[in-house]
Amino acid sequence: MVFILRSYDEISGDLLRARYLLPGESGYCDMCRRVAGYIGACDEEKNEFEEIMLSKKFLPNSPTLMNAGSGKGQLSACFVLPVGDSIREIFETLKNSAIIHKSGGGTGFNFSSIRPSGSQAGFPGGKASGPVSFIKIFDSATGVIKQGGRRRGANIGILDVDHPDIIPFINSKRAEGRLRNFNISVMADDSFMRSPDDGILEIIAGNIIRNGEPGILFRDTVNRKNKVPGLGVIDAVNPCGEEPLLPFESCNLGSLNLSEFVSSGEFRYDLLKKSVRTAVCFLDNVIDKNRYPLKEIEDATLKTRKIGLGVMGFHDMLIKLGIPYESPGALQAAGGIMSLIESESVGESRIIAEEKGAFPAIGGSIWEFPVRNATTTAIAPTGSISLIAGCSSGIEPLFGLAYLRRHLASREYFIVHPLFSKALDSGFLKDKSGIISEAYSKGSISGLESLPEDFRALFKVADEIGWKAHIDMQAVFQDHVHAAVSKTVMLPEHSGTDDVIDAIYYGWRKGLKGLTFYRNKSRRDAVMTTGDGC
Ligand code: CDP
């Protein structure tokens, strides 16, 4: 088979041209200038924002990159909408979600208010069709609306574990291809986790092994750590899970590319501190520049002024520092960096509050001093912006060292990770193409005993890293994040339901707000693939 080898720059360029650039813009620099010019309130801010984006140290979420200064102006990625039990309320929510998707955002819903299937509905003798039937309608509607005409909207459908329709819900994505525009997640509380219905856990785990869904969310952990408990209980999150939000709340995200903070083998904490401060100003400005798709969303968002600053390029950073992902050093680096981002972001939010005022709902919050934003930190998946920045996504370990990536619907690219390629060159290793070929066909270089052991440890990929190490990493980040962490716990191909159940308990005990899994090679329709092991 002949593959076309593509560099990260080429992929980023294709993606920008297809989805991000406005007429008249020729590339990344033009986009950065437009966005910084729109979000900055004065020349000094505009210059700082432009610099941090041009140097690829920071990028805001896709809607900001696509819409800032375009005349459309909806800049947030994350929304949660309430769902009522009447036809009028359900379809009102569907209409609102279509408006949000059209503007570029993704929507999360807890469908538990909808009465169970088979119960009384409408006129006497009428039977309710239950939450899963309505989720199918939401899914179809999403399929016909492209976000801002550029990509399909993302959704998460959530159901409480004690809802009578929980089993059909858990099984609703059993066959690959169903509910294509939805992630699904079960909302479990502590009492379920303490004395679970083993049958339900088995069904959850069985479906996860089949194709990675449902995810699981921990309601009590989310609410114990809710920064504004006075506004009510949180029972939903945005589509990839990094933002637990109240009904009608929205949040804009931004991510620091940690890989760009390594120079000459050293991590530059001084530069990171400065960049965190700039990024917080940027994201807080976005709240005021934003054109909200609905009045209720504007009101709820301006009450708490949540922003979600996170990271991407974490694994690339570790590789540059010579630290294997599955190691105590990696956990230590994660904790040190994220606690610094948390404290600096709160420090900056406090300074902005002195000038512009604290977020209006601060009276119902846990904050003991004025801050501008109810939350400052979240870890997004960075699925697209990491491609634009040319770094590993979020806090995920690399999926592969040489792999095929389906991109922009039809094209398939063969990619060799640039740090891997560079390391092969600088190690003066003979037979570079043989090593790359092994990395593609086997999905890993662990079997190449001719390579030094520390080299193989440094380049371990996601499914070679044990589930405990995935969860430990998520937990270290969660400890320093106000919102939540988007992370997929990658399971090796041979994993079983016992592994999943153990992992769910381990994650819950570690204080995670939720968990998402994927068993390697379990979906035929995967975005990234390595060879078949031959
Ligand atoms: O990289 P990018 O900024 O495009 O997004 P991400 O970090 O992968 O995802 C952040 C959030 O954007 C998700 O949790 C969703 O809320 C939203 N999203 C969406 O609405 N539609 C997509 N196709 C992808 C993400």
Side-chain angles (χ1 to χ4, degrees), residues 290-308:
N290 214 340
R291 298 220 195 122
Y292 294 91
L294 298 164
K295 179 77 175 77
E296 292 97 319
I297 289 176
E298 179 165 6
D299 292 346
T301 305
L302 293 180
K303 260 189 211 162
T304 52
R305 301 186 65 89
K306 288 178 179 172
I307 57 171

Side-chain angles (χ1 to χ4, degrees), residues 132-405:
V132 175
S133 312
F134 288 108
I135 296 174
K136 286 181 190 160
I137 298 174
F138 278 59
D139 183 61
S140 305
T142 305
V144 294
I145 298 165
K146 272 199 173 176
Q147 291 175 324
R150 301 183 214 213
R151 62 179 188 182
R152 202 132 286 152
N155 296 293
I156 190 166
I158 298 162
L159 203 67
D160 295 349
V161 73
D162 57 0
H163 191 286
D165 285 6
I166 194 69
I167 306 266
F169 173 79
I170 295 167
N171 286 328
S172 64
K173 292 198 70 174
R174 196 167 170 75
E176 190 175 342
R178 286 217 208 128
L179 299 181
R180 197 176 274 283
N181 303 305
F182 262 82
N183 297 326
I184 58 166
S185 242
V186 173
M187 181 65 88
D189 49 19
D190 283 353
S191 70
F192 174 83
M193 292 306 293
R194 281 198 202 98
S195 50
D197 174 333
D198 290 337
I200 289 185
L201 265 183
E202 274 291 332
I203 300 170
I204 291 174
N207 278 284
I208 288 173
I209 286 296
R210 260 178 92 88
N211 69 1
E213 294 208 60
I216 188 155
L217 292 162
F218 302 121
R219 183 202 301 274
D220 293 319
T221 313
V222 166
N223 283 288
R224 258 193 305 277
K225 298 181 183 176
N226 179 2
K227 297 283 184 206
V228 200
L231 289 183
V233 173
I234 293 183
D235 73 353
V237 297
N238 74 315
C240 301
E242 67 275 16
E243 278 296 336
L245 295 171
L246 289 161
F248 291 115
E249 239 184 336
S250 70
C251 183
N252 71 89
L253 309 169
S255 300
L256 295 153
N257 174 5
L258 295 177
S259 180
E260 288 297 331
F261 292 88
V262 180
S263 90
S264 313
E266 295 286 322
F267 190 82
R268 296 285 307 271
Y269 286 93
D270 54 333
L271 286 184
L272 181 69
K273 273 188 184 178
K274 189 167 172 279
S275 300
V276 170
R277 301 249 169 194
T278 308
V280 169
C281 290
F282 182 107
L283 296 175
D284 187 62
N285 281 11
V286 168
I287 298 174
D288 298 312
K289 287 281 182 174
N290 214 340
R291 298 220 195 122
Y292 294 91
L294 298 164
K295 179 77 175 77
E296 292 97 319
I297 289 176
E298 179 165 6
D299 292 346
T301 305
L302 293 180
K303 260 189 211 162
T304 52
R305 301 186 65 89
K306 288 178 179 172
I307 57 171
L309 178 62
V311 300
M312 57 184 168
F314 174 66
H315 196 185
D316 284 353
M317 174 206 85
L318 291 176
I319 292 170
K320 285 185 178 174
L321 295 172
I323 305 172
Y325 192 97
E326 188 169 6
S327 71
L331 295 173
Q332 210 182 345
I337 288 168
M338 203 59 220
S339 71
L340 184 106
I341 294 175
E342 185 189 18
S343 59
E344 289 296 314
S345 61
V346 170
E348 189 59 29
S349 185
R350 193 173 181 172
I351 290 175
I352 303 174
E354 279 163 21
E355 189 197 327
K356 300 182 178 173
F359 68 93
I362 196 161
S365 80
I366 54 94
W367 291 104
E368 289 171 0
F369 49 83
V371 281
R372 182 73 169 154
N373 315 93
T375 68
T376 59
T377 43
I379 308 279
T382 72
S384 297
I385 61 168
S386 64
L387 285 178
I388 294 173
C391 64
S392 57
S393 56
I395 61 162
E396 299 293 359
L398 301 180
F399 167 80
L401 303 172
Y403 56 94
L404 282 179
R405 183 179 183 107

Side-chain angles (χ1 to χ4, degrees), residues 7-29:
S7 72
Y8 274 28
D9 279 351
E10 287 170 308
I11 290 172
S12 159
D14 287 353
L15 180 60
L16 286 174
R17 277 187 293 279
R19 295 196 175 149
Y20 292 77
L21 301 183
L22 298 187
E25 290 178 345
S26 64
Y28 182 73
C29 299

